[in-house]
């Protein structure tokens, strides 16, 4: 914290307004090894303790916040994105999507907490964006493109709309993917972000 105290003070002197990413591929190894990373719901409370500490300390220094860096990369790089040991193609989809769901809940609760600490905070989500184009105008190619794109857009949909889109719930059902989603989770997800940012 002392490092960031000095950094933000100097940036302020130079007239530079920062955007802070609260989680950027730097999960403490103990949380990955002991708890299984974001596949464990306990990380939600750990994360909230951390973000509330940071929000309170820098409520007058930082306006723009991102809850997670490239949250959709959990599907492609589970250790970087969610502290889950193993390769994406070798892990059960249930584990990956549960971790993503836990991150969604944590992000929503962080957004709520941030707005309570400073209503002027602008809190956003961040996804790795890659446009997808159909190979031909053939409807099958267009449909395949849309389905591929939804694997990314679903992340911003949940962050901004506060609920899972029907196409994703259908995807879970059709592929036998089980994600534990509580009624309280559904309420918590309604705390939506103020903006979307892209790593492009």
């Amino acid at each position: 914290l002392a490092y960031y105290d000095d950094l933000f003070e100097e940036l302020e002197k130079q007239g530079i307004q920062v955007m802070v990413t609260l989680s950027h591929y730097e999960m403490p190894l103990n949380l990955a090894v002991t708890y299984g990373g974001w596949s464990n719901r306990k990380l939600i409370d750990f994360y909230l303790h951390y973000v509330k500490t940071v929000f309170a300390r820098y409520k007058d220094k930082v306006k723009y916040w991102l809850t997670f860096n490239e949250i959709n990369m959990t599907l492609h790089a589970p250790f970087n994105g969610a502290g889950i040991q193993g390769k994406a193609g070798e892990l059960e989809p249930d584990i990956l999507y549960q971790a993503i769901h836990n991150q969604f809940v944590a992000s929503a609760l962080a957004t709520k907490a941030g707005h309570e600490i400073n209503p002027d905070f602008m809190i956003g989500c961040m996804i790795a964006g890659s446009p997808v184009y159909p190979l031909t105008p053939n409807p099958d190619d267009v449909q395949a493109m849309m389905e591929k794109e939804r694997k990314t857009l679903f992340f911003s949909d949940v962050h901004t709309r506060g609920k899972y889109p029907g196409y994703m719930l259908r995807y879970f059902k059709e592929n036998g993917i089980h994600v534990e989603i509580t009624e309280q989770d559904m309420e918590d997800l309604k705390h939506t972000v103020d903006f979307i940012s892209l790593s492009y």
Side-chain angles (χ1 to χ4, degrees), residues 5-71:
D5 291 347
D6 294 342
L7 178 65
F8 293 156
E9 185 178 335
E10 184 60 32
L11 291 170
E12 191 174 38
K13 284 181 191 172
Q14 302 302 323
I16 298 171
Q17 189 171 62
V18 297
M19 180 184 296
V20 174
T21 306
L22 291 159
S23 179
H24 194 131
Y25 296 166
E26 76 306 76
M27 175 178 288
L29 187 59
N30 181 55
L31 295 181
V33 174
T34 305
Y35 295 95
W38 277 103
S39 63
N40 190 325
R41 289 184 70 95
K42 288 184 179 179
L43 264 72
I44 296 172
D45 287 334
F46 297 157
Y47 180 79
L48 286 176
H49 176 74
Y50 155 65
V51 298
K52 286 177 182 179
T53 301
V54 175
F55 283 155
R57 190 174 186 100
Y58 300 117
K59 68 182 188 301
D60 300 319
K61 297 271 184 198
V62 178
K63 180 177 181 179
Y64 296 97
W65 303 88
L66 299 173
T67 54
F68 290 95
N69 174 64
E70 296 181 341
I71 190 169

Side-chain angles (χ1 to χ4, degrees), residues 12 34 38 42 97 99 109 135 140 174:
E12 191 174 38
T34 305
W38 277 103
K42 288 184 179 179
Y97 282 104
L109 290 173
L135 183 63
D140 291 339
E174 290 173 353

